[in-house]
Amino acid sequence: MESVRVNKNIVRERTDKLRAAGEVLSTEQFSRIYEQYFNRVYKYIYYRIQNQYEAEDVCSQVFERVIVNYGSFSEEKAVFEVWLFAIVRNAVTDYFRARKKRFHFSLDSITELIWPKPSPEELAIQIDDHQALFQAFAKLRDKERNIIAMKFAAGLKNSEIAALMGVSESQIGVIVYRSLKKLHKFLGTGGLMGE
């Protein structure tokens, strides 16, 4: 996760272009934004994509878009966090659209061919930690997965998610509650294995 870093030359180049246009995101401002939001942005993307390497790529694209589009941000229209996560959500949507149009293979599968597989004990721990949760998560509808990822991976408040989704805050609360109840059912009653 720490390997995702935005190239400082890109930051300088984009900042120079913004200065010429009159809108500037200084390197210091960008650094603060990056440090404050990186973990939440990455976690949201990873929850949605479930591939470390591609999540890192999409995450770097998001921060590049922040640099490029900072001049269009207006506090009168939305809180910065809502604006940022609109960019994140759109980047994930673009990722899935592009994925449908091209041949796709997982770098994880290639890695398995190169490096030896983990021991049975290590494999059991990994499966216990992630597999059941991701399988349960995949059983939710796309809208539910998106909202749960915004709530828990990105750490957004219900009001911020509501602003992004264009629905009421109470509706988000209901969706979160019902989605968590579904996840609990899938994980607790053997809903994944017993089907």
Side-chain angles (χ1 to χ4, degrees):
M1 190 160 59
E2 290 301 317
S3 64
V4 178
R5 296 287 174 222
V6 177
N7 186 329
K8 290 188 180 191
N9 292 331
I10 292 173
V11 173
R12 284 189 202 109
E13 180 181 308
R14 303 282 187 194
T15 302
D16 291 343
K17 287 180 182 178
L18 290 171
R19 271 194 193 111
E23 297 292 333
V24 179
L25 175 64
S26 71
T27 305
E28 294 80 24
Q29 287 174 309
F30 176 77
S31 294
R32 278 195 305 271
I33 291 168
Y34 183 82
E35 288 172 14
Q36 183 175 356
Y37 292 104
F38 171 78
N39 285 331
R40 292 171 59 196
V41 168
Y42 177 80
K43 284 179 185 178
Y44 170 80
I45 294 169
Y46 183 77
Y47 265 71
R48 298 288 290 141
I49 294 176
Q50 298 180 12
N51 179 303
Q52 176 187 350
Y53 306 108
E54 292 186 17
E56 289 172 355
D57 287 344
V58 173
C59 190
S60 66
Q61 291 169 13
V62 164
F63 285 103
E64 192 172 326
R65 289 180 188 179
V66 168
I67 296 167
V68 171
N69 297 315
Y70 186 74
S72 69
F73 168 66
S74 170
E75 286 185 11
E76 292 133 16
K77 293 181 185 176
V79 179
F80 178 79
E81 199 166 81
V82 172
W83 178 79
L84 172 65
F85 278 95
I87 292 173
V88 176
R89 189 179 71 179
N90 290 338
V92 170
T93 301
D94 292 346
Y95 163 81
F96 283 118
R97 278 189 196 132
R99 188 174 179 206
K100 286 181 183 177
K101 294 179 184 177
R102 63 181 160 85
F103 175 73
H104 174 74
F105 64 92
S106 170
L107 290 176
D108 292 332
S109 62
I110 293 173
T111 304
E112 289 175 6
L113 296 173
I114 298 170
W115 288 302
K117 294 189 180 209
S119 71
E121 295 83 15
E122 292 170 336
L123 191 58
I125 291 170
Q126 288 175 359
I127 289 171
D128 287 345
D129 288 346
H130 300 290
Q131 192 71 19
L133 181 59
F134 282 130
Q135 285 178 345
F137 194 66
K139 289 185 154 281
L140 296 175
R141 293 182 321 198
D142 189 50
K143 183 177 182 178
E144 293 168 331
R145 283 193 307 268
N146 195 19
I147 290 171
I148 291 295
M150 281 190 247
K151 176 78 175 170
F152 297 105
L156 294 178
K157 298 174 190 163
N158 288 0
S159 60
E160 295 166 331
I161 298 170
L164 273 170
M165 303 291 290
V167 297
S168 71
E169 185 176 343
S170 61
Q171 188 175 1
I172 295 298
V174 169
I175 292 170
V176 168
Y177 174 77
R178 288 180 181 166
S179 299
L180 291 175
K181 202 169 181 177
K182 285 181 186 178
L183 286 172
H184 180 71
K185 179 183 171 192
F186 294 146
L187 293 170
T189 62
L192 293 172
M193 302 297 184
E195 292 184 6

